[in-house]
Amino acid sequence: MSEEGMEETNLSGSSDKIEREAPQLVTVLKDIKGGLDDLRAKVQVLTSKVKLGLYPTADGISYLEAKHLLLLNYCQSLVYYLLRKAKGLPIQGHPLVHSLLETRLFLEKIRPIDKKLQYQIQKLTRLTGNSMEDAVSDDKKPDATREADDSLKLRPNPDMLMNKVTPDDGDGKYRPPKIAPASMDESKSSRQERNVSRKEKQAFRQALQSEYARDLMNDLEGRPEEVRLPLLYLLFSVVREVVGTEDRDVTRYKAKMEERARREEELFTRAPLTSMEKKKLKHMRKSRNGLLGLADSFYDDIKSLPLEEGVGGQTASFMEDSNAGERKFKKHKVCNSYFFIRSLEGIRDLNSEATNKAA
Amino acid sequence: MADTKAVTIRTRKFTTNRLLSRKQFVIDVLHPGRPNVSKAELKEKLGRIYDVKDPNSIFVFKFKTHFGGGKSTGFGLIYDSVEIAKKYEPKYRLVRNGLDTKIEKSRKQMKERKNRSKKIRGVKKTKAGDAAKKKK
């Protein structure tokens, strides 16, 4: 209120405005003067009383002491600010602004503490007010009962509890009971947006598993490169990708074991292999050398070829058996490799027939 | 003869553990063509790499060879001094390094003693009781 007036006085070059605002300024200044006079009178009364020793000011609530100091500091800074403005001195780089801001910030921060302590402080002030009255009016009351009164008045009051489950709210509207704290979903994304984001995350995870990404990671971590000759290369002199020759189960098993190894390294311990895990490891090493996986998609290729009766018939029966649900047979997949080799022989015979015919 | 083949040691996840005053890391040993590298050889090599004054303060353990051979992974610790190592390391690793001796306890004797003490209840001295019952 008065600060506006001060700022307007600082505006040089607009004398019309000053003339307009001048009466307002005068009234505002009168208000200030009146307020300050009142304040001075009250403060002088208080200080005289304290000097006389009527109010014991020691052992107060330290929080309130701190708050008083902060408020005083703020008022002083404000007054100095007004003074500087009134004299027309600049304020720009002055540390005053900084201290004003700081104090203001502190006051804002302690406001929630204030609120929490409010109940207790009120209780205490009411109590002291009552006790002062009692002391003045009724000196006959013995000290013990007075203290008992005081402490009893400080106990929790169950009547003051708010009813959480309010059946009737007056309007006739139904309001659900607020029993458990409910968190607000601040993101507020619709179902489609969430689905899209989920799909993106999934795609990202899958991309990380690709070979290119794995090569990048190996490079970054400085792991030495591993070159393992695929078994097909040894059999047919055909160079294929290492990953392609292993079947799904083996790659998954390897991924699991790698994850396990990573965790072990992180925790600097080793988890012992259980007997089931040992059995699986043995199975993976001995009976599944990467060759079995080839049989998985092989029948799609050879279904259309005219092979020997025996092989074709056997493959048909094998497929039918597996479709009928002999899971145990399919699980170990030992016989798959047998049929694979038989069918390869069939192809070889076909090839030799073709070359003979050509020749 | 096996020593002529190259052995490469790489350390990963190197951290300095100030609480236990030691350096800990994961060791990757590449030994193509060799079955396995002995712990003594590994300690000697690590001592050379990290300029350790006392090779007795190096501990390597939990080595596992990867499938196909040629590569093994394990853990390693280098303590600041042998006294600190004696304070923090478990007994079996100190025995492996030669800093401690193993107490040979006869399992049979211990079990017999336990079974004898099962018959007596309370604070009675089982030792004297053992001797007496043995004589019987």
Side-chain angles (χ1 to χ4, degrees):
Chain A
M1 31 116 210
S2 61
E3 287 170 300
E4 304 164 23
M6 299 303 171
E7 276 173 354
E8 274 147 14
T9 52
N10 278 340
L11 287 169
S12 56
S14 47
S15 48
D16 316 319
K17 217 173 179 184
I18 293 174
E19 282 174 5
R20 257 184 288 134
E21 308 293 345
Q24 269 187 19
L25 180 62
V26 170
T27 46
V28 159
L29 284 171
K30 272 193 189 156
D31 281 338
I32 294 179
K33 190 157 190 314
L36 282 173
D37 285 335
D38 282 337
L39 187 64
R40 188 184 295 176
K42 282 187 183 168
V43 168
Q44 275 179 344
V45 166
L46 263 179
T47 46
S48 57
K49 278 195 180 172
V50 168
K51 280 182 188 163
L52 287 174
L54 280 175
Y55 297 138
T57 49
D59 293 335
I61 303 176
S62 53
Y63 162 72
L64 287 178
E65 258 187 66
K67 197 174 166 196
H68 293 155
L69 285 171
L70 272 176
L71 284 169
L72 264 177
N73 191 8
Y74 193 62
C75 289
Q76 282 173 342
S77 323
L78 262 183
V79 166
Y80 185 57
Y81 175 79
L82 290 174
L83 188 66
R84 279 187 83 94
K85 279 277 188 181
K87 290 201 176 170
L89 295 170
I91 293 207
Q92 265 310 75
H94 206 268
L96 167 76
V97 180
H98 182 73
S99 73
L100 255 180
L101 284 171
E102 235 184 359
T103 326
R104 188 61 193 272
L105 192 70
F106 280 136
L107 285 169
E108 298 271 319
K109 290 235 173 198
I110 63 177
R111 202 180 296 173
I113 310 176
D114 220 6
K115 227 182 155 194
K116 281 186 194 167
L117 283 177
Q118 194 193 33
Y119 178 69
Q120 279 197 14
I121 294 173
Q122 267 186 11
K123 260 252 148 96
L124 284 170
T125 47
R126 232 184 299 145
L127 199 69
T128 49
N130 286 348
S131 66
M132 290 288 282
E133 284 175 13
D134 287 342
V136 165
S137 64
D138 197 341
D139 271 320
K140 291 171 194 169
K141 210 172 179 186
D143 282 319
T145 53
R146 208 192 302 162
E147 273 183 40
D149 264 344
D150 296 352
S151 54
L152 276 177
K153 278 183 189 157
L154 289 172
R155 73 159 190 272
N157 194 0
D159 300 333
M160 293 286 286
L161 278 176
M162 298 227 334
N163 198 357
K164 273 187 180 172
V165 190
T166 49
D168 220 25
D169 216 13
D171 318 21
K173 281 190 217 165
Y174 169 71
R175 288 180 202 281
K178 296 177 184 175
I179 300 173
S183 66
M184 257 184 31
D185 186 18
E186 294 188 353
S187 49
K188 283 210 177 138
S189 52
S190 68
R191 196 183 299 168
Q192 283 112 345
E193 284 172 26
R194 268 182 273 141
N195 277 348
V196 166
S197 69
R198 218 181 294 147
K199 285 215 173 83
E200 272 177 32
K201 276 188 209 159
Q202 177 91 346
F204 181 67
R205 247 182 285 143
Q206 295 228 351
L208 276 179
Q209 286 182 8
S210 81
E211 204 186 301
Y212 181 62
R214 260 189 274 153
D215 280 339
L216 267 179
M217 303 268 270
N218 283 347
D219 231 354
L220 282 170
E221 284 196 31
R223 280 194 223 139
E225 265 186 51
E226 288 184 47
V227 179
R228 280 180 298 124
L229 292 174
L231 286 157
L232 261 186
Y233 177 72
L234 298 169
L235 278 179
F236 300 115
S237 324
V238 168
V239 182
R240 286 203 202 164
E241 268 191 339
V242 179
V243 181
T245 53
E246 290 161 6
D247 72 298
R248 206 173 10 105
D249 291 336
V250 175
T251 31
R252 231 190 281 154
Y253 180 76
K254 276 218 184 121
K256 260 195 233 162
M257 284 289 131
E258 269 171 34
E259 172 70 23
R260 189 198 164 101
R262 193 186 61 82
R263 281 221 198 97
E264 279 181 354
E265 279 175 16
E266 220 165 295
L267 297 172
F268 230 73
T269 50
R270 288 237 190 252
L273 288 173
T274 61
S275 51
M276 293 301 294
E277 284 176 348
K278 278 190 203 152
K279 265 192 215 168
K280 197 165 183 203
L281 180 71
K282 201 171 168 184
H283 179 244
M284 286 285 165
R285 280 190 187 182
K286 301 224 166 125
S287 53
R288 312 176 68 110
N289 270 319
L291 202 57
L292 291 166
L294 295 164
D296 277 339
S297 59
F298 196 74
Y299 291 109
D300 308 320
D301 297 338
I302 64 165
K303 258 187 274 185
S304 49
L305 293 175
L307 296 169
E308 284 179 20
E309 274 287 313
V311 178
Q314 271 171 350
T315 53
S317 69
F318 170 69
M319 291 296 278
E320 278 172 27
D321 275 344
S322 72
N323 284 343
E326 283 194 45
R327 296 207 122 234
K328 201 176 178 184
F329 184 64
K330 196 175 184 191
K331 203 177 187 182
H332 282 277
K333 284 196 183 172
V334 176
C335 300
N336 283 5
S337 54
Y338 170 68
F339 287 121
F340 172 63
I341 291 170
R342 286 297 307 272
S343 46
L344 276 180
E345 285 173 4
I347 292 175
R348 187 180 30 130
D349 294 341
L350 243 185
N351 223 359
S352 53
E353 277 178 33
T355 49
N356 285 345
K357 278 185 189 168
Chain B
M1 220 186 291
D3 291 347
T4 53
K5 300 226 173 132
V7 172
T8 318
I9 299 185
R10 303 167 109 250
T11 57
R12 284 191 284 133
K13 298 200 193 230
F14 187 94
T15 50
T16 314
N17 192 340
R18 280 284 108 222
L19 296 166
L20 298 170
S21 35
R22 70 185 185 197
K23 303 184 190 111
Q24 57 195 48
F25 41 85
V26 175
I27 306 175
D28 266 342
V29 186
L30 303 162
H31 46 90
R34 272 183 66 168
N36 224 348
V37 182
S38 68
K39 286 200 270 267
E41 199 182 326
L42 279 176
K43 278 202 281 184
E44 178 207 347
K45 286 204 153 63
L46 279 171
R48 245 184 286 146
I49 295 172
Y50 287 107
D51 292 328
V52 185
K53 291 170 203 125
D54 194 353
N56 266 341
S57 62
I58 307 177
F59 295 85
V60 288
F61 51 99
K62 296 246 194 293
F63 271 92
K64 276 220 173 107
T65 313
H66 291 216
F67 181 61
K71 183 175 173 187
S72 19
T73 313
F75 304 119
L77 307 167
I78 301 179
Y79 281 92
D80 288 348
S81 70
V82 181
E83 288 80 39
I84 294 177
K86 281 195 184 163
K87 195 166 141 193
Y88 289 124
E89 277 292 287
K91 205 142 186 289
Y92 75 95
R93 270 189 233 151
L94 292 171
V95 169
R96 278 188 195 172
N97 259 23
L99 296 170
D100 209 348
T101 50
K102 183 172 178 178
I103 305 172
E104 291 289 331
K105 289 185 194 167
S106 162
R107 274 190 76 182
K108 196 166 161 79
Q109 305 290 343
M110 286 173 68
K111 287 183 191 232
E112 279 179 5
R113 188 198 158 124
K114 175 202 74 167
N115 287 331
R116 277 195 295 265
S117 65
K118 276 200 270 186
K119 292 185 201 158
I120 304 174
R121 189 170 155 78
V123 199
K124 290 161 199 156
K125 308 245 176 195
T126 43
K127 257 190 182 174
D130 292 349
K133 278 183 184 160
K134 253 182 157 177
K135 277 183 190 167
K136 278 187 193 173

